[in-house]
Amino acid sequence: MPQSRVVGISGNITRPSKTRAFVDHIVHRLAVDAGASAQTFDIEDFGASLLPARRLDELAPEARYVVGQIVAADILVVGSPTFKGSYTGLFKHVFDLLDPASLRGKPIILSATGGGERHSLMVEHQMRPLFGFFEALAMPTAIYACDKDFADGALISEAIHARVGRAIEEATQALARPGKARLAA
């Protein structure tokens, strides 16, 4: 049986990035729990060819490689900072270029980070373009973490760890049921 593949994509280009740390954390735990290979990309990995592209063949080779990894993934983890709507728009553009059938049935975990608890109310609004797209394909799970959930770039909140654990359990169970991946939002 071929090894499963977990692919994470982070929408934040600042360094260090809570969003990237959160995506990396989820991807690593998924890889361990599912016995899968793992890889994480940033939105900047798509390069300058992303914005003007209207079709996949208009992307530069490095961007087509990232898209190929997204399509080949068995589980997808997408992370966006809630206060930067432009990144969410870039994600939507990436996924608009894809044939929806290429992602149908994949377990998907949407993760978001923000400055404070008040941002948790913005998650649904901020990620709605992505959530609506993915909801039609696989009913994604969404997880939010704020500043107080991190210390020195590491996730420290037990509540968030528990949510991540539930999302990972749902994703690995869905992976075990090919063609029937339906995750609770």
Side-chain angles (χ1 to χ4, degrees):
M1 182 169 135
Q3 185 180 33
S4 298
R5 182 181 308 181
V6 177
V7 172
I9 181 162
S10 168
N12 201 338
I13 59 174
T14 59
R15 300 288 180 269
S17 162
K18 285 184 309 219
T19 302
R20 175 65 187 250
F22 197 29
V23 169
D24 283 342
H25 175 81
I26 296 168
V27 166
H28 175 75
R29 281 192 55 191
L30 264 166
V32 169
D33 288 4
S37 65
Q39 194 166 11
T40 303
F41 300 96
D42 288 306
I43 198 73
E44 67 187 4
D45 291 328
F46 287 95
S49 69
L50 176 60
L51 287 177
R54 295 291 168 248
R55 296 186 322 269
L56 287 176
D57 61 359
E58 294 174 354
L59 291 172
E62 61 274 5
R64 283 198 305 271
Y65 172 78
V66 176
V67 168
Q69 297 303 304
I70 290 169
V71 171
D74 296 298
I75 301 174
L76 192 58
V77 178
V78 180
S80 178
T82 58
F83 51 87
K84 299 226 176 14
S86 59
Y87 295 136
T88 305
L90 285 172
F91 273 139
K92 181 155 178 11
H93 183 63
V94 168
F95 293 111
D96 283 346
L97 294 173
L98 296 175
D99 174 5
S102 67
L103 298 176
R104 189 162 284 117
K106 285 185 195 292
I108 297 166
I109 298 174
L110 296 178
S111 60
T113 58
E117 291 182 44
R118 64 183 179 81
H119 285 301
S120 64
L121 300 173
M122 297 171 53
V123 173
E124 181 185 344
H125 172 74
Q126 196 73 23
M127 296 189 71
R128 188 171 293 141
L130 287 178
F131 201 86
F133 176 85
F134 287 128
E135 189 174 41
L137 303 175
M139 281 301 286
T141 298
I143 307 168
Y144 172 78
C146 64
D147 283 348
K148 71 178 181 68
D149 298 321
F150 293 88
D152 297 325
L155 186 64
I156 60 167
S157 167
E158 289 303 317
I160 300 299
H161 276 290
R163 281 188 226 142
V164 168
R166 284 191 301 274
I168 288 170
E169 185 178 324
E170 290 173 358
T172 54
Q173 286 174 358
L175 188 59
R177 298 184 312 267
K180 295 182 175 133
R182 303 299 295 173
L183 300 183

